[in-house]
Amino acid sequence: MKKLTTLDSLSRMANTLRRDVVTMLAEAGSGHTAGPLGLADIAAAMYFNVLNIDPRRKNDPDRDRLFVSCGHTAPIWYAALARAGFFPVEELKTLRKLGSRLQGHIDRLTVPGVESTAASLGQGLSIAAGCAYAAAMDGKNYQTYCVVSDGEHDEGSTWEAVNFAGYYKLQHLTAIVDRNNIQIDGPTEKVMGKEPLRERYEAFGWHVIEIDGHNIEQIIDACQEARAIGEKPVCLIAHTIPGKGVDFMEGDYRWHGVAPGGLDTEKAPPKNKQLEAALRQLHY
Amino acid sequence: MLTKESHLKRNIFGKDIEMAPTRDGYGIGLVEVAEKNVNVVALSADLTESTRAAKFRDLYPDRFIQMGVAEQNMVTVAVGLALQGKIPFVSTYAVFSPGRTWDQIRISVCYNNANVKLAGHHAGLSVGPDGATHQALEDLALTRVLPRLTVLAPCDAEEARKATHAAAAIKGPVYLRFSREKSPVFTTAQTPFTVGKARVLHDGKDAVIIACGPLVYEALVAADRLVEKGISVRVINMASIKPMDEETVERAARECRAVVTAEEHQVAGGLGGAVAETLARSYPVPVEMVGMRDSFGESGQPEELWRKYRLNAAAMVDAVIKVIKRKH
Ligand SMILES: Cc1ncc(C[n+]2csc(CCOP(=O)(O)OP(=O)(O)O)c2C)c(N)n1
Ligand SMILES: [Mg+2]
């Protein structure tokens, strides 16, 4: 696959993915908006620069693996996969509709390029750890990435995976934590404490790098550093803004699971104008 | 004919019938039982609004516990609370509890006989666009096999309210099953609800439909349509999955000699399985099952999904005609 190498082209791609996300969600009339918008820069950096993947060789045993543990963020990954050539962009508008390959939560069996199905939080990092373990057994050099949401750190199973990966020093494993500070019931620290997140990972034997999840250069550099470190799994704590790019959604947890056009807030335009307003702001 | 003693609303097939999801009845019932009993507490795993525990949280903040996305811990913390005399209501989606918490439920709740009330939300295909991952179609099978656990699957929001009251009154573990999507509220405050009792809502003699959850209304629609075809169908609301009213099931089998079961659940291990087990022991007659047939659901609108997977009145009409042909 041809990579995008300039920061400008990658930012443009992130913006395209955001436009795809709001458009497909509005068309579906339901789904998750805040998380996916916040993950757009990471998705662009990963699928168009960092990952060693090729849609023409989807099953290449040496490809990098990117697992998504927070399955509700499906729209951004579907958009990235479509734009990367794994399936037609046209298909994005079938999201969540009867008969569509694009199921509400990320689905391996139907969507080309998806490494594993996810929806029940706190399972993806274990799957990625299993993948990294298999890579070590087989003497493979590919990198295994796993995108984990901050809300998922409430689950004990996430920490079982963190412990496992630290204990076995899974050096080709990189977790990318979407530290957007929201979950369904409110700001993360109000719902259940996750801090000190960095120290928690470090205590389990991980190397931690904190990055601005909207700075594509930092994302790419951190991934390179993670690959180079060796001997330990690496956690990139990516600080992101939920709803990034759409001012009436940014930082507001209420947009976690609502599509554009589905929520009245103090800041938002009338429901029937929300998609249009979002797209206007996402004009590059 | 709708039975008099079931005190259903008048004109239940009218277009203006009130619609509400059964989870709404849970939310109302929870607040009502909390008002009556200070020991009632509620726990939520980051799904407070959608499991309708929000009203409780707002009215009784000191008796509400936010658990974060940690269902296993939620169930077992509830056990600790129950052992000290609290009556914890634990709400999340059924795919996660009993889905993820089954071990905790089996040993710490049931074997331990802890007074924990488990509310499983978003049961059935009617969850819709979130897709298969969120559509609980196995929870009755998971809970029905557990000793000491009472299992209730109310048919509408009003019965959900009553089931919540009944759960609070029982001394011991209870599982309550609720749906996300709106469905007709066709029962009234006068409609009887007793744990362990099935209710005949519609009289008939050619076949019986035994249903639970929102499919009870569909069964009534099917029975109504079949009247026009000259087929008389009994409809039984089996909200109490466990204990099951075996006597009413057996009597229906003896009198109608053909049985259709209907549920938003896998036919294996759910209501269909339970009815078939009962009949195999007591009075075997042909049974047709309306439900999921060893498949997962998918994204789509609730009604489309019911049509595709044949969980609606039309499917029950076909099943009744088929089962009558199989009569001995
Ligand atoms: C095991 C499990 N419990 C509950 C849920 C319901 N749920 C879906 S997303 C979510 C919030 C999690 O927070 P986060 O992933 O940080 O959300 P975001 O930042 O994307 O808004 C919850 C509780 C789930 N999918 N899985
Ligand atoms: Mg979050």
Side-chain angles (χ1 to χ4, degrees):
Chain A
M1 204 182 105
K2 214 173 141 262
K3 294 191 177 192
L4 298 178
T5 47
T6 67
L7 292 177
D8 185 58
S9 59
L10 285 161
S11 303
R12 276 174 190 277
M13 180 53 73
N15 194 62
T16 302
L17 300 182
R18 286 193 171 94
R19 294 176 67 87
D20 287 339
V21 163
V22 293
T23 308
M24 63 205 276
L25 283 165
E27 172 72 29
S30 71
H32 301 82
T33 308
L37 286 177
L39 283 163
D41 299 296
I42 292 171
M46 298 309 290
Y47 278 98
F48 295 90
N49 186 281
V50 174
L51 293 175
N52 172 27
I53 50 164
D54 186 342
R56 286 161 306 178
R57 289 181 288 117
K58 288 192 268 283
N59 299 319
D60 183 344
D62 294 320
R63 73 187 184 283
D64 285 341
R65 273 52 163 190
L66 184 134
F67 290 89
V68 175
S69 183
C70 38
H72 64 276
T73 59
I76 187 66
W77 309 110
Y78 291 165
L81 286 164
R83 296 280 170 192
F86 282 85
F87 62 88
V89 170
E90 262 301 282
E91 218 175 310
L92 290 177
K93 58 173 186 279
T94 67
L95 176 73
R96 292 180 156 245
K97 299 206 168 141
L98 187 69
S100 170
R101 295 201 284 184
L102 306 184
Q103 295 293 297
H105 289 72
I106 200 162
D107 199 303
R108 177 177 78 93
L109 295 178
T110 58
V111 186
V114 171
E115 293 288 352
S116 184
T117 294
S120 181
L121 296 169
Q123 301 191 13
L125 193 56
S126 298
I127 296 172
C131 173
Y133 198 101
M137 290 171 103
D138 296 344
K140 296 265 184 208
N141 267 320
Y142 63 78
Q143 193 73 9
T144 302
Y145 298 89
C146 184
V147 178
V148 189
S149 70
D150 48 5
E152 282 189 275
H153 289 78
D154 292 349
E155 289 285 0
S157 56
T158 296
W159 295 105
E160 292 174 30
V162 172
N163 190 30
F164 170 84
Y167 179 71
Y168 284 105
K169 300 187 170 45
L170 299 178
Q171 53 167 312
H172 291 303
L173 178 65
T174 305
I176 303 175
V177 177
D178 178 26
R179 189 68 175 112
N180 67 3
N181 298 300
I182 63 156
Q183 54 197 101
I184 293 181
D185 281 352
T188 54
E189 299 317 285
K190 263 196 158 169
V191 173
M192 182 57 63
K194 280 113 189 129
E195 292 298 340
L197 194 58
R198 175 188 197 110
E199 287 81 356
R200 290 189 196 186
Y201 269 91
E202 284 172 347
F204 282 109
W206 288 56
H207 181 80
V208 178
I209 307 171
E210 297 203 41
I211 56 171
D212 171 355
H214 302 304
N215 183 325
I216 288 176
E217 193 172 14
Q218 277 189 29
I219 299 165
I220 294 170
D221 287 351
C223 285
Q224 266 159 12
E225 192 183 332
R227 217 183 247 260
I229 276 173
E231 71 193 47
K232 277 179 173 194
V234 175
C235 174
L236 310 183
I237 298 180
H239 295 279
T240 62
I241 296 166
K244 172 79 176 171
V246 180
D247 63 2
F248 60 89
M249 293 181 177
E250 283 189 0
D252 186 344
Y253 73 87
R254 292 172 296 176
W255 287 100
H256 157 89
V258 186
L263 184 69
D264 279 321
T265 71
E266 314 73 45
K267 281 202 273 176
K271 287 181 176 173
N272 63 353
K273 297 269 189 298
Q274 289 176 358
L275 174 62
E276 198 188 306
L279 285 173
R280 212 178 312 118
Q281 293 181 39
L282 295 170
H283 193 74
Y284 200 79
Chain B
M1 266 277 284
L2 295 169
T3 57
K4 258 221 178 74
E5 60 277 16
S6 54
H7 296 285
L8 301 186
K9 279 187 184 156
R10 246 178 270 158
N11 194 17
I12 63 166
F13 303 120
K15 278 240 175 316
D16 52 355
I17 183 130
E18 180 197 348
M19 300 287 284
T22 60
R23 58 180 169 154
D24 281 10
Y26 170 69
I28 295 165
L30 186 58
V31 167
E32 289 173 353
V33 297
E35 205 175 315
K36 287 206 297 198
N37 190 333
V38 293
N39 285 322
V40 170
V41 297
L43 289 73
S44 169
D46 197 20
L47 287 170
T48 308
E49 200 69 55
S50 64
T51 64
R52 298 296 186 256
K55 187 106 183 270
F56 180 103
R57 176 198 59 199
D58 296 343
L59 289 172
Y60 304 102
D62 298 342
R63 289 152 63 184
F64 172 80
I65 310 177
Q66 171 62 263
M67 298 301 298
V69 199
E71 296 79 11
Q72 299 175 69
N73 188 46
M74 173 161 69
V75 168
T76 26
V77 164
V79 172
L81 292 163
L83 296 183
Q84 308 316 315
K86 306 288 180 205
I87 306 173
F89 279 76
V90 169
S91 342
T92 184
Y93 296 163
V95 286
F96 309 131
S97 180
R100 194 187 195 114
T101 60
W102 193 80
D103 179 11
Q104 280 82 355
I105 294 173
R106 178 174 180 268
I107 296 177
S108 297
V109 177
C110 294
Y111 186 52
N112 206 13
N113 201 23
N115 195 20
V116 173
K117 317 304 170 187
L118 304 154
H121 291 263
H122 286 37
L125 269 188
S126 52
V127 168
D130 267 345
T133 58
H134 281 55
Q135 297 160 351
L137 297 166
E138 309 81 6
D139 55 311
L140 292 178
L142 288 173
T143 51
R144 195 168 81 67
V145 291
L146 290 171
R148 297 183 186 140
L149 186 61
T150 298
V151 180
L152 306 176
C155 68
D156 69 0
E158 171 59 17
E159 192 171 70
R161 188 186 67 80
K162 290 186 196 128
T164 307
H165 278 267
I170 289 172
K171 257 191 150 10
V174 179
Y175 175 65
L176 296 157
R177 179 180 218 238
F178 301 113
S179 321
R180 175 188 195 280
E181 183 65 9
K182 286 180 180 166
S183 61
V185 185
F186 60 97
T187 71
T188 63
Q190 285 70 48
T191 306
F193 177 82
T194 318
V195 173
K197 279 268 168 285
R199 295 287 163 190
V200 177
L201 303 182
H202 189 276
D203 270 332
K205 56 177 184 10
D206 298 331
V208 56
I209 305 177
I210 303 176
C212 66
L215 291 197
V216 173
Y217 182 81
E218 293 294 308
L220 291 170
V221 173
D224 193 54
R225 278 187 209 161
L226 283 159
V227 171
E228 292 157 29
K229 293 194 199 299
I231 299 172
S232 142
V233 177
R234 184 176 301 184
V235 174
I236 292 177
N237 174 18
M238 190 61 77
S240 182
I241 304 291
K242 182 171 173 279
M244 179 162 282
D245 183 349
E246 301 197 350
E247 208 183 297
T248 300
V249 173
E250 190 190 326
R251 190 177 332 119
R254 276 183 194 282
E255 293 171 5
C256 305
R257 294 177 175 268
V259 173
V260 169
T261 61
E263 65 202 303
E264 265 204 285
H265 188 275
Q266 302 290 352
V267 296
L271 174 65
V275 166
E277 287 165 21
T278 299
L279 292 178
R281 282 192 298 264
S282 58
Y283 195 82
V285 294
V287 178
E288 287 293 328
M289 297 181 188
V290 170
M292 289 300 277
R293 308 186 160 275
D294 197 24
S295 93
F296 289 107
E298 64 180 293
S299 293
Q301 290 307 314
E303 238 190 84
E304 295 175 329
L305 292 168
W306 275 10
R307 206 177 316 129
K308 173 165 178 179
Y309 291 91
R310 305 215 27 93
L311 297 185
N312 52 13
M316 292 180 215
V317 166
D318 294 347
V320 165
I321 291 168
K322 190 168 169 199
V323 82
I324 287 175
K325 286 198 188 123
R326 290 177 53 207
K327 268 188 177 186
H328 310 299

